[in-house]
Amino acid sequence: QVQLVESGGGSVQSGGSLRLSCAASGYTYSSYCMGWFRQARGKEREGVAAIDSDGRTSYADSVKGRFTISQDNAKNTLYLQMNSLKPEDTAMYYCAADRAYYSGGYYCLAAEYNFWGQGTQVTVSS
């Protein structure tokens, strides 16, 4: 049973930083995708950043240059470092993981995921 537990959300002012963490357990895929997604109130969920098992990454245009996705395989933890936060980054952020049938960050950002965390709220005030 794959389990994903996010942490690190909170409230910050515009221009501030947060680091989200996602502790993963229960999966043993040698080839996988992991990603961060967000859903703002009244909007559809969108992909923010993704990474494959070889460390290749991809980002949504809206966060390029501000957010960095990374993983610590020894700790089975996925991170999202968010800098220069804007009010429009306010959303519930979710971690997702699944087996990968193809490789590459772009594939992982667009892939369908079967395993999701419970989400962590990020609120950015102006």
Side-chain angles (χ1 to χ4, degrees):
Q1 180 74 10
V2 176
Q3 290 189 324
L4 303 171
V5 180
E6 302 100 330
S7 61
S11 297
V12 294
Q13 290 191 330
S14 182
S17 298
L18 284 173
R19 188 176 81 157
L20 305 184
S21 298
C22 172
S25 62
Y27 73 92
T28 57
Y29 307 127
S30 59
S31 180
Y32 60 82
C33 286
M34 295 192 76
W36 288 99
F37 296 78
R38 67 186 181 187
Q39 187 166 20
R41 187 171 297 180
K43 295 187 177 182
E44 292 187 355
R45 187 176 63 201
E46 62 173 345
V48 175
I51 188 167
D52 72 3
S53 44
D54 291 324
R56 287 169 288 206
T57 61
S58 184
Y59 298 90
D61 288 343
S62 58
V63 307
K64 281 181 181 177
R66 300 188 298 122
F67 291 10
T68 303
I69 188 171
S70 62
Q71 56 188 352
D72 185 330
N73 292 329
K75 296 181 179 179
N76 290 331
T77 302
L78 181 73
Y79 301 101
L80 185 68
Q81 178 66 43
M82 305 185 295
N83 298 328
S84 302
L85 282 161
K86 304 175 181 180
E88 51 264 43
D89 294 318
T90 295
M92 185 72 79
Y93 283 71
Y94 299 91
C95 169
D98 211 333
R99 179 179 178 179
Y101 294 93
Y102 300 95
S103 60
Y106 289 110
Y107 164 77
C108 288
L109 192 59
E112 294 289 329
Y113 288 82
N114 287 306
F115 305 107
W116 294 85
Q118 82 288 351
T120 185
Q121 178 68 37
V122 172
T123 303
V124 185
S125 58
S126 58

